[in-house]
Amino acid sequence: MKIQPEDAESFVDYLIQIGKFDEAAVKLADIVNNDKFASKEGKSKHQLWSELCELISTNPDKIHSLKVDPIIREGINRYKDQQSKLWISLAEYYIRLGLFDKARDIYEEAISKVMTIRDFSQIFDAYAQSEEKITSAKIETDEDEDEIDLRLLRLENLMERRPLLVNSVSLRQNPHNVEEWLKRVDLVKNDSLKVIETFTQAVQTIDPKLEFGKLCSLWIKFAKFYEDNNQLEEARLVFKKATQVDYLKVEDLATVWSEYAEMELRHNNFELAIEVLKKATAMPSKKSNYYDNTEAVQYRVFKSLKLWSMYADLEESFGSFNSTKSVYDRIIDLKIATPQIIINYGLFLEENNYYEEAFKAYEKGINIFKWPLVFDIWNTYLAKFLKRYGGTKLERTRDLFENCLENCPPNYSRNIFLLYAKLEEEHGLVKRAMSVYERAVHHVAEKDKFDIYNIYIKRATELYDPAYTSTIYEKAIENLPDNQALEMGLRFASLECKLSRINRARLIYTHCSSFCDPRTKEGENLWNTWKEFELKYGNEDTIREMLRIKRCTQATYNTRINLSSKMLVDTQQFVKGDTLQHGDVTKTINPDSIDIDE
């Protein structure tokens, strides 16, 4: 060993082989403590340390020169990834010495210190197996029954404690995990004192800046525990402490305040609930920006819309008119109102017969918000104004509609125009109503134009005569997409027939054919309708012209068929056996008289 110290591993193996365990342990300890030693077998310091721990733990009665406990503990501190193995080795060392209570203490210490579920599971399983073996041995040797019962109770208690011990490991990994603390509360729910102790420990441990989950939910459930046990004063005390916590987000503090008020409501303490929200929304001594995260949430929570909305609801339900109005006005002054808040304010004033005040509230909202957020306010305002005054304040009502439509986006204008037109029909001038419809068809979104034209035509027919709608039909055909324009054209032609304006109807069919693909269902419908029209009102010349137009249309859309033969078939199918009806005269069409090529 003096000449070749690098062969120390061989010497250790020889000492173990001849049973000199103490001397082998001492030599192996020297190797481990020698930073300059390089293993010829390629073993790492970690492997050498593991061999030393295994040697001294499996031969406890033969090791006298080394202090086993400090050596293994040093390995536990040094090699974190081998903690479970080393803890088990230390416990087994005492078991082999017959010191079972000491081994149990080691296991308990281990499961209270390990940081991973894997290490815990290995140590716990070894602990449980050790207890089972010792208990079985005691039963076989007919030991004192009281001691056997005690050991069985210990084993049972150990198994029952497992979920709580696993939870402890998770909390050692992250003591700021709210969900794990709540799990712990649930595990001890049958013991009120432990529940309180757990909640108290949790709120004292968790750092709001490091929270994993919602710390506010922990405080709320802490207060709920006292509430469920009819200890309202204690619950209030918890809530008051919770409002002083420096949460990361204003919403968390707002949630605490709102839950505090909800608790008072559940116990019919309406005035106390209002006082809670009044305190929560009070102007702080220090002004700060709501969105400035560097400021404490206590200085910013007074602008929480969640709290103000709840405050307004409570005042409306249990407070006076003036107190409720004051709350709504304060919300508007703080510039945190939403369109729904404005609408609620207006409805509240209307319910109390303050109609003009309600209209002023709507106007405030209109000045605050822009389109499309202001749409619901305008909708409510106009409907309420019409319901209140009808046509008695017509000019004022017209001004409202004009102001609304001035900046109204097309997607939101449909219902406004229809309401405006209805006003003019019922209380104004029919001519102005038609003017509103005319404006609407140019202003509304493309998807709404067809419906507006239909309504426009229907109302024009009812308020004037059918001939008045001709101009409307013409504009509709011009402005609508092809498929919708075609439908309008067919209806327009039908109207012209009813008015005995046959030539105009034929011109409409001709015009519609220019943008109608004959291969489509709509195209087929057009030609069939035109055919029936010509059979009833036409002659051989008009039929020949219709077929020529159809041929040109098919050529335009490139139907890729033999046009001449196709037209011949169409002609034969069209005229064979068909008749032209003119008054009392019926004439059978001769197919040979129509020149297809022409």
Side-chain angles (χ1 to χ4, degrees):
M1 289 306 302
K2 287 183 179 180
I3 296 171
Q4 292 179 295
E6 63 274 11
D7 290 329
E9 289 171 283
S10 300
F11 182 33
V12 170
D13 292 339
Y14 169 71
L15 292 173
I16 293 173
Q17 184 179 349
I18 63 174
K20 299 288 186 177
F21 297 105
D22 186 64
E23 191 174 347
V26 171
K27 191 61 185 175
L28 189 53
D30 291 339
I31 293 173
V32 169
N33 291 324
N34 184 1
D35 293 333
K36 296 181 180 180
F37 180 80
S39 172
K40 291 180 68 176
E41 299 179 15
K43 295 180 181 178
S44 64
K45 285 285 186 183
H46 174 264
Q47 289 175 301
L48 294 171
W49 192 275
S50 297
E51 289 181 7
L52 173 60
C53 292
E54 184 176 359
L55 177 62
I56 60 180
S57 63
T58 53
N59 300 281
D61 55 336
K62 297 175 183 177
I63 306 298
H64 308 292
S65 302
L66 297 176
K67 293 182 178 180
V68 176
D69 195 302
I71 291 174
I72 296 180
R73 286 181 181 276
E74 185 178 350
I76 291 170
N77 294 329
R78 183 179 296 185
Y79 303 109
K80 300 296 183 183
D81 59 334
Q82 292 293 315
Q83 281 192 343
S84 59
K85 181 179 179 181
L86 295 173
W87 276 115
I88 293 170
S89 295
L90 183 56
E92 289 180 347
Y93 166 74
Y94 286 109
I95 290 173
R96 291 189 177 93
L97 289 176
L99 302 175
F100 302 121
D101 290 338
K102 180 65 177 176
R104 186 180 298 109
D105 292 340
I106 296 297
Y107 277 125
E108 288 289 341
E109 182 183 358
I111 59 178
S112 67
K113 288 185 176 180
V114 291
M115 298 295 292
T116 67
I117 299 298
R118 180 182 64 85
D119 287 342
F120 170 82
S121 299
Q122 292 175 352
I123 294 171
F124 185 87
D125 291 343
Y127 186 10
Q129 290 175 9
S130 172
E131 288 294 321
E132 288 176 357
K133 289 179 181 178
I134 294 172
T135 303
S136 298
K138 293 293 184 183
I139 293 173
E140 290 175 2
T141 56
D142 295 327
E143 290 279 348
D144 180 40
E145 290 185 2
D146 291 339
E147 184 177 352
I148 293 173
D149 290 341
L150 178 61
R151 290 190 174 279
L152 288 172
L153 285 173
R154 281 178 176 170
L155 181 59
E156 183 180 352
N157 176 257
L158 176 64
M159 303 309 293
E160 290 176 352
R161 288 165 54 209
R162 193 180 195 283
L164 199 60
L165 293 171
V166 171
N167 176 259
S168 297
V169 175
S170 298
L171 288 175
R172 284 196 291 276
Q173 290 176 342
N174 183 5
H176 310 288
N177 190 324
V178 175
E179 290 303 318
E180 288 299 331
W181 280 109
L182 291 175
K183 286 180 183 178
R184 192 173 188 84
V185 169
D186 189 59
L187 290 171
V188 298
K189 62 184 178 182
N190 295 324
D191 189 333
S192 297
L193 290 177
K194 286 187 177 180
V195 169
I196 295 172
E197 180 183 340
T198 303
F199 271 124
T200 303
Q201 185 181 359
V203 296
Q204 290 175 347
T205 301
I206 297 176
D207 184 344
K209 293 180 175 57
L210 301 174
E211 67 177 8
F212 185 83
K214 291 283 187 180
L215 177 57
C216 63
S217 65
L218 190 67
W219 279 102
I220 292 167
K221 290 189 177 182
F222 191 4
K224 188 72 167 58
F225 168 77
Y226 280 118
E227 182 189 355
D228 293 341
N229 286 277
N230 298 317
Q231 296 176 279
L232 284 185
E233 286 302 322
E234 286 77 5
R236 291 187 183 108
L237 182 61
V238 170
F239 272 123
K240 288 175 182 177
K241 289 183 177 180
T243 60
Q244 303 304 314
V245 177
D246 189 16
Y247 302 101
L248 277 179
K249 299 179 181 178
V250 176
E251 293 81 7
D252 293 344
L253 180 56
T255 300
V256 171
W257 278 113
S258 63
E259 288 293 333
Y260 187 1
E262 289 283 0
M263 182 191 74
E264 298 294 359
L265 288 176
R266 284 194 291 270
H267 296 276
N268 299 322
N269 299 322
F270 307 121
E271 292 183 1
L272 286 178
I274 291 175
E275 283 300 316
V276 166
L277 292 173
K278 184 177 181 181
K279 185 176 181 181
T281 55
M283 182 70 74
S285 57
K286 177 182 177 182
K287 290 186 178 180
S288 59
N289 187 337
Y290 181 83
Y291 299 101
D292 185 0
N293 293 328
T294 61
E295 293 285 352
V297 291
Q298 281 75 16
Y299 294 121
R300 298 183 284 146
V301 73
F302 77 100
K303 278 193 173 183
S304 169
L305 181 59
K306 178 179 182 179
L307 294 178
W308 279 106
S309 298
M310 187 177 182
Y311 191 8
D313 289 343
L314 290 186
E315 285 289 2
E316 195 169 335
S317 300
F318 308 110
S320 65
F321 171 79
N322 289 332
S323 64
T324 306
K325 186 175 182 299
S326 176
V327 170
Y328 277 117
D329 287 338
R330 184 66 180 142
I331 293 174
I332 295 174
D333 292 341
L334 289 172
K335 298 180 180 179
I336 58 173
T338 63
Q340 189 59 51
I341 290 288
I342 298 296
I343 292 171
N344 292 345
Y345 188 18
L347 294 176
F348 164 74
L349 291 169
E350 183 185 355
E351 288 171 1
N352 287 274
N353 300 322
Y354 287 85
Y355 297 101
E356 284 300 326
E357 288 288 332
F359 299 147
K360 288 180 181 178
Y362 293 134
E363 288 171 2
K364 285 182 180 179
I366 289 167
N367 291 329
I368 293 173
F369 301 102
K370 298 184 181 298
W371 288 94
L373 295 176
V374 77
F375 172 72
D376 289 333
I377 299 177
W378 267 120
N379 229 9
T380 306
Y381 185 13
L382 292 171
K384 294 295 183 182
F385 196 89
L386 287 173
K387 181 180 178 181
R388 174 67 178 167
Y389 294 116
T392 58
K393 296 190 177 184
L394 190 56
E395 289 304 319
R396 182 179 170 186
T397 310
R398 284 170 176 164
D399 287 342
L400 286 179
F401 275 106
E402 293 298 337
N403 289 338
C404 175
L405 291 170
E406 183 177 0
N407 298 309
C408 181
N411 286 340
Y412 296 90
S413 63
R414 180 183 185 276
N415 292 337
I416 305 296
F417 274 114
L418 293 179
L419 199 61
Y420 193 4
K422 184 179 179 182
L423 168 73
E424 293 293 351
E425 288 180 23
E426 295 178 353
H427 306 289
L429 301 173
V430 173
K431 182 178 180 181
R432 290 184 67 100
M434 295 298 105
S435 174
V436 172
Y437 284 123
E438 180 64 24
R439 287 170 59 190
V441 295
H442 295 291
H443 190 276
V444 298
E446 291 296 326
K447 62 183 178 63
D448 295 323
K449 283 188 177 181
F450 185 68
D451 289 339
I452 294 295
Y453 267 117
N454 282 327
I455 296 171
Y456 187 9
I457 291 169
K458 179 181 178 183
R459 299 304 297 147
T461 303
E462 294 172 353
L463 296 172
Y464 288 96
D465 59 84
Y468 180 85
T469 61
S470 297
T471 304
I472 304 174
Y473 273 117
E474 289 173 3
K475 291 181 179 179
I477 294 170
E478 181 181 349
N479 295 323
L480 291 173
D482 288 350
N483 60 328
Q484 295 175 346
L486 177 60
E487 183 177 339
M488 282 291 181
L490 293 176
R491 288 166 53 188
F492 187 17
S494 176
L495 172 66
E496 294 294 349
C497 289
K498 292 177 182 178
L499 296 174
S500 299
R501 298 193 290 205
I502 305 304
N503 288 334
R504 283 176 59 86
R506 184 174 288 111
L507 288 173
I508 293 169
Y509 285 124
T510 303
H511 176 70
C512 290
S513 68
S514 65
F515 55 79
C516 178
D517 186 348
R519 297 170 296 180
T520 64
K521 183 177 179 181
E522 291 81 3
E524 183 179 353
N525 182 45
L526 169 66
W527 293 110
N528 289 336
T529 305
W530 194 355
K531 168 189 171 181
E532 293 174 2
F533 167 80
E534 294 296 350
L535 286 175
K536 188 172 183 180
Y537 300 106
N539 54 46
E540 292 182 0
D541 292 334
T542 59
I543 293 173
R544 183 182 292 107
E545 178 64 16
M546 182 200 73
L547 294 174
R548 185 190 67 78
I549 293 171
K550 185 176 182 181
R551 180 175 61 182
C552 292
T553 303
Q554 287 177 320
T556 301
Y557 284 96
N558 191 18
T559 55
R560 298 182 181 178
I561 60 174
N562 189 320
L563 295 179
S564 295
S565 61
K566 175 63 177 174
M567 287 298 292
L568 179 60
V569 173
D570 287 347
T571 304
Q572 297 294 338
Q573 290 178 347
F574 183 91
V575 300
K576 189 175 183 179
D578 284 339
T579 59
L580 293 174
Q581 182 73 39
H582 288 280
D584 297 332
V585 179
T586 300
K587 180 181 179 182
T588 302
I589 299 176
N590 181 7
D592 298 329
S593 67
I594 299 177
D595 185 357
I596 300 303
D597 292 333
E598 184 182 295

